[in-house]
Amino acid sequence: MSSTQGTSVRSTWVGPLIATVVTLPAALLAYVIGGLTPMACDACNGAEAEHFTRRFDTAFTLLQVGLLASLALLLVSWGLPQTEQNVARRRVFSVLAPSIVVFSALLFAGMVPSPS
């Protein structure tokens, strides 16, 4: 590794690669589970179904926004130049991408009411 700023640094692709391998399958799984969640309230009717639908719509929208944000963070981690100045930034974005997926999934799970 060179100590001059602005020079290319080898192996800065490792963080974004690991983040991609973790984030994309996790995001797909969260999206599929989120999409299948309304089946939990198939037997609901009346006020309970209306309440579930309102909460689900809001939660699913937030889940989608979170998954898009994690995709944007992945793109930023790959798009930053491979210079010594950006090594820390690339690592931060690489860690944030899967973290946002987990946070979004937990937020979604906490917002969707369980049918009784």
Side-chain angles (χ1 to χ4, degrees), residues 30-104:
Y31 188 76
V32 168
I33 289 173
L36 294 175
T37 300
M39 292 174 45
C41 197
D42 278 346
C44 301
N45 54 24
E48 184 181 14
E50 185 179 325
H51 174 67
F52 181 86
T53 301
R54 269 189 277 118
R55 295 290 300 265
F56 172 78
D57 288 345
T58 304
F60 195 65
T61 300
L62 289 175
L63 176 67
Q64 290 174 329
V65 168
L67 296 180
L68 286 174
S70 68
L71 179 62
L73 290 169
L74 272 181
L75 292 174
V76 169
S77 72
W78 279 108
L80 286 171
Q82 293 186 13
T83 60
E84 198 166 313
Q85 296 171 318
N86 292 325
V87 170
R89 289 184 193 114
R90 288 174 71 105
R91 286 181 185 154
V92 167
F93 287 124
S94 296
V95 169
L96 282 176
S99 301
I100 294 295
V101 171
V102 171
F103 176 75
S104 298

Side-chain angles (χ1 to χ4, degrees), residues 9-20 77-78 82 90 94:
V9 178
R10 300 180 77 132
S11 74
T12 57
W13 54 270
V14 175
L17 179 65
I18 292 171
T20 302
S77 72
W78 279 108
Q82 293 186 13
R90 288 174 71 105
S94 296

